[in-house]
Structures are given as structure tokens and as C-alpha cells.
Amino acid sequence: MRQLKSLFAIAATALAVIAAPNLAHADKLQDVVGSGKLRVGILTDAAPWGFKDDKGEIAGLDADLARLIAADMGVKLELVPVTGPARIPSLLSDKIDMLIAGLGATPERAQQVMFSQPYAVVNLGVYGAKALPAATGKKPDNLDGRSVAVAKGSTLDVWLTDNAPKVKLVRFEDTPAALAAFLAGQADTFAENSAIALKVQDQNPTKEVELKFLIRQSPAHVGVRQGEQNLLNWINTDIFFNKLNGKLGALQLKWFKEEQTLPTL
């Protein structure tokens, strides 16, 4: 019996020695600080989250938050443009260190991505002209028979497909194409978040865009790869710090025209 216990002890020690290099794997936070550069994935076609301004530079709430985070971390910032479908794959393939791209948290995504505390919150819904009737209940009956422009494969596309069978969904490759179709009169309404709808209204005041059916609230989170707990802890601390000093509220006011009360994850 003693010999058997000794063998188990020797085996356990050997496994610990073999596993030690794996336990000491590279830490993303230390990698970023050590390299002096932070790569942030960001949308460039989803104002006011991320978009290219008149000078061709990336602007928006997400871009400003990325700049704030990089400054607090003491590193240079590299903004890496990503598309909606490529956001998470870009993170998982290590093309970026973190994702700041209007990212909503879902149980499915949480299998691949770790989410920070929210830095903004918007409403997901269907938007249209003031003349169209708005929903009076929790079902989108007011949209029956109407066409809704939506980005293909988005959360909104999936929800409307599952819950609004009488709606005529018109699917487009991305958000700009869906918005262009609505503005051109090719669809009665469009499905998006309230930040983007606000931008559409600001740029097209004669359309009188307003909410026609509320699906749900959708907080936005910074995303990191699974297992990067130290980086996530730092991001959460920085978001909390900038809530207290007012810098995050100033960004919300700048891009959403209001300071927000944020939920917790």
C-alpha cells in the first residue's frame, strides 16, 4: 500500500511539473502592457457606435471608449475595423486583444467570449415613421403585413423570425444596406438599436423616425477571449473608475444625448 501511495505521489509530482509551463501561459493584459500596444476591434459602419467621419477617421462612442482605455493603460491604440459577423471570430483568432463594437451579451456568445460590465445600454426594436401606428402591447401586431429591413443574421433578424411570423422581413448583408433601403422607401420600417435609430433621425429629420415596437433592452459590453480574467478585471475596474469620474457619462452624452443608468452583468 505504501509503495502504491508513493507511486501516486511520484505520478502527481510528474504531472505537476509537466503542467507547470501550461499554467504559466501568456497573460493578455501583460502582453498588451509589455508590447505597448492595444488592438481593439471596432465597427466602422454602425454610427454612433463606430463609423468613419468626414476625414476618414474612425469615430463614435466605441472609438472614444477605446481611446480612453488605451490612455488609462498607458499604451498606444490600434483600431482594427471589423464587421458584425466577423467581430467574435476576429477576437478568437487573436487578430485583436479586445472587442468594443456594440457587443451584446448572450448565453451562446458567452461560450466563447467573456463580457465586461456594460458601458452603454440601448433599446432593440423596430423603428418607422411617426405616421405608422406603434404597438400597444407586448406583441408586434402593429407590424403584421409590414416590411422590416434588417441586417441578415443579426439578433433582431433571429428574434423577428421566431416571434413575428406575419412581418415581411427584408434581409440585407449589413446595417447600412438595411438603413439605406428604409430611407429609399423600399421597406416600411427597420429593426435596429435605439442609438443607430437616433443617428438616422438626426441625419434625416423629415423621416420622423420613432420606436414602433420595443423588443428588449440591450447593454453593450467590451469582449475578451475566454480565460483572460486579468484583462477582464482591469477593464471592469477602468469602466467603474470612469463612471465615477464622469468621463463615461460624458461620452454617453456626446453620442447618445443622455447619461445612462447602467445595469450590472
Side-chain angles (χ1 to χ4, degrees):
M1 181 63 71
R2 288 180 179 177
Q3 289 180 338
L4 186 60
K5 288 183 178 179
S6 297
L7 287 173
F8 276 126
I10 293 170
T13 301
L15 286 173
V17 171
I18 293 172
N22 294 325
L23 291 174
H25 69 280
D27 178 87
K28 178 60 71 175
L29 176 60
Q30 294 304 317
D31 288 347
V32 170
V33 173
S35 69
K37 182 175 73 173
L38 174 65
R39 303 169 300 164
V40 176
I42 191 166
L43 297 171
T44 58
D45 60 358
W49 299 100
F51 63 99
K52 289 191 176 181
D53 62 18
D54 295 338
K55 297 179 181 179
E57 298 178 353
I58 299 176
L61 172 65
D62 289 345
D64 281 353
L65 179 61
R67 294 183 181 104
L68 182 59
I69 287 176
D72 289 345
M73 196 177 285
V75 297
K76 293 181 179 179
L77 174 65
E78 179 184 349
L79 293 177
V80 181
V82 296
T83 63
R87 288 180 297 180
I88 292 177
S90 295
L91 183 65
L92 299 181
S93 61
D94 201 33
K95 294 179 180 178
I96 54 178
D97 302 312
M98 68 177 68
L99 189 59
I100 308 180
L103 187 66
T106 67
E108 294 79 12
R109 287 175 175 171
Q111 295 178 19
Q112 299 177 302
V113 176
M114 298 172 73
F115 296 94
S116 74
Q117 293 297 320
Y119 63 88
V121 61
V122 292
N123 290 325
L124 296 183
V126 178
Y127 295 82
K130 185 177 182 179
L132 295 178
T136 56
K138 295 184 178 180
K139 294 184 178 180
D141 297 341
N142 63 312
L143 301 176
D144 288 356
R146 296 195 180 278
S147 56
V148 181
V150 65
K152 182 169 59 178
S154 64
T155 300
L156 291 153
D157 181 12
V158 173
W159 191 94
L160 289 167
T161 299
D162 293 342
N163 296 279
K166 295 182 180 180
V167 167
K168 298 178 181 178
L169 290 180
V170 187
R171 297 180 175 88
F172 296 88
E173 288 300 318
D174 52 28
T175 295
L179 297 179
F182 166 75
L183 293 172
Q186 297 172 8
D188 300 322
T189 59
F190 66 93
E192 255 307 335
N193 67 63
S194 53
I196 290 178
L198 177 63
K199 191 70 173 180
V200 171
Q201 171 58 26
D202 285 347
Q203 294 177 341
N204 306 273
T206 59
K207 289 290 184 179
E208 297 186 309
V209 172
E210 63 179 30
L211 181 66
K212 296 302 163 184
F213 177 72
L214 174 64
I215 294 175
R216 63 175 173 84
Q217 273 199 331
S218 179
H221 310 261
V222 179
V224 301
R225 293 173 67 181
Q226 277 289 350
E228 296 298 346
Q229 189 64 51
N230 288 340
L231 179 58
L232 184 67
N233 291 345
W234 188 93
I235 293 169
N236 281 333
T237 300
D238 198 55
I239 290 174
F240 176 74
F241 178 75
N242 285 301
K243 282 181 185 177
L244 293 182
N245 65 25
K247 290 183 179 180
L248 184 59
L251 293 184
Q252 294 167 350
L253 185 62
K254 175 183 177 181
W255 294 108
F256 292 171
K257 298 185 178 180
E258 65 176 2
E259 291 189 42
Q260 300 178 330
T261 302
L262 301 176
T264 57
L265 184 64

